[in-house]
Amino acid sequence: VSTQSTGLLLLFRKEMETLLDVLETPFHVIRLPNVRLRIPSIPQPSPFVVFSFLFLSYFLVMSGIIYDIIVEPPSIGSSNEGGAVKPIVFLQYRINGQFIIEGLAAGFLFITGGLGFIILDRANQKYTSDRNRYLLLIAGILCVLVSYNLCLSFLRIKIPGYLQY
């Protein structure tokens, strides 16, 4: 068995050498130019630019931009009650469906809550004065609470009777 596998390896090696000779043939006839390519240097973005890009992408994903692209829902709904057309912002009784404006409003609330946590983190820095620390704490807590309560009220509008006992 060992002599047979050795013979197969030698045959494989011989075939590979033949293939390499065929592939190298054009380079014996044609001389390659001596070209020095410079790789362009791209400056490193500042931390704020990276943060802004990530925050914007977070807003778009939380707003349901992927759902909006795939399903193509209307920007706002309408109902015809009593002969008058009323605009509808929330697609009721469908937790997995949305109008575009509903998704943008929810994404804005998620961004506001995230910004509140970032402000709370800024309040915890080392060299922040006491006055600024209290202002940042109040602003951060206010952003988080307002965002949370508005998200819950949006959910109660979307699903009437949600968390009602």
Side-chain angles (χ1 to χ4, degrees):
V1 174
S2 65
T3 56
Q4 189 177 18
S5 62
T6 311
L8 286 175
L9 284 175
L10 289 175
L11 181 66
F12 179 72
R13 178 179 281 168
K14 195 172 205 175
E15 287 177 0
M16 287 303 291
E17 288 176 0
T18 318
L19 181 64
L20 282 175
D21 288 339
V22 169
L23 291 176
E24 289 177 353
T25 304
F27 296 105
H28 293 293
V29 178
I30 301 171
R31 188 176 63 92
L32 294 176
N34 188 11
V35 177
R36 291 185 185 196
L37 297 175
R38 291 186 51 154
I39 299 173
S41 63
I42 300 170
Q44 184 177 5
S46 68
F48 186 73
V49 170
V50 173
F51 168 75
S52 300
F53 175 73
L54 289 175
F55 212 56
L56 179 69
S57 63
Y58 175 73
F59 169 72
L60 291 175
V61 169
M62 288 294 115
S63 294
I65 192 74
I66 298 168
Y67 172 83
D68 292 341
I69 289 172
I70 293 171
V71 177
E72 296 178 1
S75 60
I76 196 166
S78 62
S79 72
N80 194 359
E81 291 182 13
V85 177
K86 280 178 43 180
I88 297 177
V89 178
F90 295 99
L91 188 59
Q92 286 190 337
Y93 303 108
R94 287 199 46 208
I95 194 69
N96 60 348
Q98 70 179 17
F99 293 125
I100 293 176
I101 196 74
E102 176 185 356
L104 292 175
F108 177 74
L109 290 177
F110 292 148
I111 288 293
T112 305
L115 198 61
F117 283 114
I118 291 171
I119 291 171
L120 286 173
D121 183 55
R122 286 291 285 210
N124 198 22
Q125 285 185 345
K126 196 174 192 177
Y127 297 110
T128 306
S129 67
D130 284 343
R131 180 174 182 247
N132 286 343
R133 185 179 311 269
Y134 288 123
L135 288 174
L136 288 172
L137 282 172
I138 290 170
I141 290 171
L142 195 67
C143 283
V144 170
L145 288 178
V146 166
S147 169
Y148 175 75
N149 287 322
L150 279 176
C151 280
L152 275 183
S153 67
F154 278 13
L155 197 55
R156 287 188 184 125
I157 292 171
K158 191 164 180 66
I159 305 171
Y162 181 70
L163 291 179
Q164 303 284 324
Y165 299 113

